Amino acid sequence: MTSDNDVALRVRALESLLLEKGLVEAPAIDEIIDLFENRLGPQNGAKVIARAWSDPDFKARLLANATDAIVEMGYEAVQGEDMVVVENTAQVHNIVVCTLCSCFPWATLGLPPVWYKSAPYRARAASDPRGVLAEFGTDIAAEAEVRVWDSNAELRYMVLPERPAGSESLDEEALVALVTRDSMIGVTRALNP
Ligand code: FE
């Protein structure tokens, strides 16, 4: 088992070696660290979802062509992937997995959580999605349909969670706080206000 400390040491050693050999330049490394620490992450996805809840025209554009609608909000794909957003309703609950590895929409959700990359999640999200959802505390009505979306290198999925009851009076900015990373993967619902 490798500890976080070992990883940090190895990364530092690798960084100095790359710099020493002139394979990368320090500003490029700073740029990448800033990208992952500050500019990518579920705070972006939450703003996309809150906009979709508040603006029916944006929601229509998001469901029709998520790649363009997300770029419209200023979030560009990091790996050139296309985005598809699937909408949760009372009748349909969507859940996202990458059965092959860990493909994830970095621009809007950041880096994938450890459990998303784990073999049990990757296998069971596909074979027993209701069981996985139950483990996340998400009960799905027996008559509702559960749809599983398998992300890959070219195409990444994000869930548009149901807007929670009781959030009718909230503005877009307040709605952002109700949207969690896990709700955009589909394993949980958005928070109640
Ligand atoms: Fe993958």
Side-chain angles (χ1 to χ4, degrees):
M1 191 81 182
T2 317
S3 75
D4 284 355
N5 209 19
D6 288 342
V7 173
L9 284 170
R10 279 159 176 266
V11 167
R12 214 170 305 149
L14 193 60
E15 181 181 344
S16 15
L17 198 64
L18 289 170
L19 289 169
E20 205 178 286
K21 294 204 178 272
L23 292 172
V24 294
E25 289 175 1
I29 295 182
D30 293 343
E31 168 72 15
I32 289 170
I33 291 173
D34 176 61
L35 179 67
F36 280 95
E37 275 191 350
N38 304 314
R39 286 181 281 143
L40 301 179
Q43 70 276 9
N44 296 349
K47 287 182 191 152
V48 172
I49 300 305
R51 172 76 50 89
W53 283 344
S54 317
D55 176 345
D57 291 337
F58 178 77
K59 179 179 163 180
R61 290 200 295 285
L62 184 68
L63 294 174
N65 183 336
T67 310
D68 287 354
I70 288 168
V71 168
E72 183 189 318
M73 287 198 66
Y75 309 126
E76 297 262 2
V78 183
Q79 300 172 301
E81 69 276 12
D82 279 323
M83 288 289 301
V84 169
V85 169
V86 287
E87 182 184 16
N88 279 354
T89 63
Q91 292 78 38
V92 177
H93 188 95
N94 298 283
I95 168 175
V96 180
V97 64
C98 173
T99 56
L100 198 63
C101 44
S102 58
C103 298
F104 201 63
W106 290 1
T108 45
L109 295 191
L111 293 175
V114 171
W115 56 259
Y116 182 87
K117 299 186 275 186
S118 74
Y121 178 76
R122 284 160 37 211
R124 291 194 49 236
S127 65
D128 178 24
R130 279 175 193 270
V132 169
L133 286 163
E135 280 163 29
F136 277 93
T138 307
D139 290 319
I140 306 296
E143 60 274 20
E145 180 191 347
V146 176
R147 291 186 191 154
V148 181
W149 301 89
D150 196 354
S151 280
N152 60 56
E154 288 81 35
L155 194 60
R156 315 279 165 99
Y157 296 94
M158 184 168 92
V159 173
L160 169 58
E162 275 186 274
R163 182 171 173 160
S167 68
E168 293 77 9
S169 63
L170 300 183
D171 64 13
E172 194 176 320
E173 210 182 310
L175 288 170
V176 170
L178 306 181
V179 187
T180 62
R181 177 195 65 197
D182 291 0
S183 71
M184 293 181 278
I185 303 173
V187 290
T188 59
R189 293 193 167 84
L191 303 174
N192 289 315

